[in-house]
Amino acid sequence: MHLAQRALRRAASTATVALLAVAVGCAPQPEEKASDKPSGSGAESCAKGELATETSGKLTIATDEPAYEPWFKDDKPANGEGFESAVAYAVAKRLGYDKGDVVWQSVPFNKAFAPGEKTFDFDINQVSISDERKKAVDFSSGYYDVRQAVIALKDSKAAKAKSIADLKGIKLGAQVGTTSLNYINDVVKPTEQPAAYAKNDQAKSALKNGQVDAVVVDLPTAFYITAAEVTDARIVGQFENQGGTPEQFGLVLDKGSALTSCVTDAVDALREDGTLAAVEKQWLSDAVDAPVLK
C-alpha cells in the first residue's frame, strides 16, 4: 500500500478520498497499518524499467555535503571515487542503471533518516543501522562493518588515554545524530557534557582550536583525518562493538519503500561476489588497525 498512498498524496488536492480509492482500485487503509508491512514486501520486479524510482529511468542517490574522504573523493560523489561513491555505483549497476542514469542529491545527514517522505531512492552517508532509526526509515543490509575511534592532538592529555576510564574526565566531541556521539554518551559516559556539532568539519576545527580534547569518528575517517587533515593528531584507539554484533552502515530508503528488497538483494550480491571487499581494499586499506579501548 505504500505506493498507493504515495500516489494519493500526489493526486489533486480537490479530489475526494472516495474518488481516489476508486481510482487506485483499493480501499483506503490507516497509515499505521500500511507502515507495519515488511520493508519492500510488495511483489514488484527488480528489473530496470519496473523499479518504482523517484524519476522514471533514473536512480536518485543522496548524500551529505561536503562529502568527506575516504568515503568520497574531492567532494564529488558523482565521480565514482571513494568507498561510498564506488559502492553506490556498484549497487546502481546491479539494479540495471548505468552511471549516466544516476542522479545525485544533497541531503543533510540527520535529515536522511528523519521521519517523512524522502525525495531520493536511497541515501549513502555512513548511516549506521539501528532499531531506533528503523522506526522512521528502511535500511538495506549492511555494506560496511565499522568501529568508532577517538582522535586527539598528539601532545594532549587525551592522546595518552589507554582505556575508556581514561576518557571520562576529558572534553569529547562528535557530530550530532551519529553513533559516534552515542558511544561517548553510552560507553564513555564522560563527567563533562560532550560537544555536538552539525558537521565533522566543525568537530575537527574544535579539536584544532582546543575547544575539545578529543573527537570520536568512525575508524576510516579517523585514519584520513590524522593522515591528511589534522596531521598533529593521532588515533588514541577504537571501541569494541557493543551488543555482540558489528555496527554496520546501510543504505537508507523511505519507510516501506518498494525498492528496499531490490536494493538489499543488490548489496547482498555485491558482498557475496567479493565486490564490496575489493572496493574496501581499494579505498579503505589503510584503516585496518588501532588499539582497542576497554
Side-chain angles (χ1 to χ4, degrees):
M1 288 300 298
H2 182 76
L3 292 178
Q5 289 167 343
R6 179 172 288 186
L8 297 183
R9 287 198 295 269
R10 291 176 178 174
S13 60
T14 54
T16 65
V17 172
L19 287 175
L20 287 170
V22 171
V24 299
C26 66
Q29 294 183 10
E31 182 71 23
E32 62 272 19
K33 289 186 179 180
S35 64
D36 284 343
K37 292 179 121 183
S39 299
S41 60
E44 290 81 4
S45 168
C46 293
K48 182 187 176 183
E50 298 180 34
L51 292 179
T53 55
E54 286 290 322
T55 302
S56 180
K58 300 290 183 180
L59 188 68
T60 303
I61 304 176
T63 195
D64 203 353
E65 185 180 5
Y68 301 108
E69 298 193 27
W71 311 106
F72 299 91
K73 184 77 171 175
D74 300 327
D75 192 20
K76 296 177 180 178
N79 65 14
E81 299 185 59
F83 178 76
E84 288 194 327
S85 181
V87 169
Y89 281 113
V91 171
K93 185 176 180 179
R94 276 278 176 182
L95 295 174
Y97 293 87
D98 297 328
K99 192 171 183 179
D101 298 325
V102 173
V103 178
W104 285 91
Q105 185 180 101
S106 176
V107 173
F109 179 81
N110 284 337
K111 189 175 181 181
F113 51 85
E117 186 177 355
K118 307 306 177 189
T119 56
F120 51 77
D121 294 312
F122 67 77
D123 178 279
I124 183 167
N125 190 25
Q126 307 115 67
V127 181
S128 296
I129 301 168
S130 72
D131 290 338
E132 183 63 29
R133 289 171 177 171
K134 283 181 179 179
K135 294 176 183 178
V137 295
D138 281 358
F139 281 96
S140 70
S141 54
Y143 62 87
Y144 180 67
D145 297 354
V146 66
R147 285 192 176 190
Q148 300 300 315
V150 181
I151 59 176
L153 298 181
K154 293 175 181 177
D155 59 356
S156 69
K157 177 184 176 181
K160 299 178 177 64
K162 302 294 184 184
S163 67
I164 292 173
D166 293 339
L167 297 172
K168 290 186 180 294
I170 68 174
K171 181 70 173 180
L172 296 165
Q175 184 176 344
V176 69
T178 61
T179 51
S180 302
L181 187 58
N182 291 343
Y183 267 74
I184 294 175
N185 290 321
D186 301 337
V187 178
V188 179
K189 300 178 181 177
T191 55
E192 187 174 353
Q193 182 73 19
Y197 301 96
K199 301 278 188 180
N200 261 339
D201 277 348
Q202 296 172 356
K204 287 181 289 188
S205 294
L207 179 65
K208 288 180 182 179
N209 298 331
Q211 295 169 305
V212 292
D213 299 314
V215 296
V216 178
V217 295
D218 60 76
L219 187 56
T221 298
F223 272 94
Y224 181 76
I225 288 173
T226 54
E229 296 184 316
V230 189
T231 54
D232 57 342
R234 64 179 291 265
I235 298 175
V236 178
Q238 62 178 310
F239 295 105
E240 293 182 301
N241 288 317
Q242 302 299 303
T245 56
E247 178 184 348
Q248 291 186 313
F249 292 157
L251 305 177
V252 182
L253 299 95
D254 204 354
K255 186 66 177 175
S257 172
L259 299 180
T260 301
S261 61
C262 297
V263 173
T264 289
D265 288 347
V267 172
D268 290 344
L270 293 171
R271 184 178 291 278
E272 290 169 9
D273 70 10
T275 299
L276 290 182
V279 174
E280 180 178 337
K281 182 178 180 180
Q282 179 180 2
W283 295 106
L284 304 180
S285 58
D286 290 336
V288 292
D289 197 18
V292 176
L293 298 167
K294 297 182 179 180

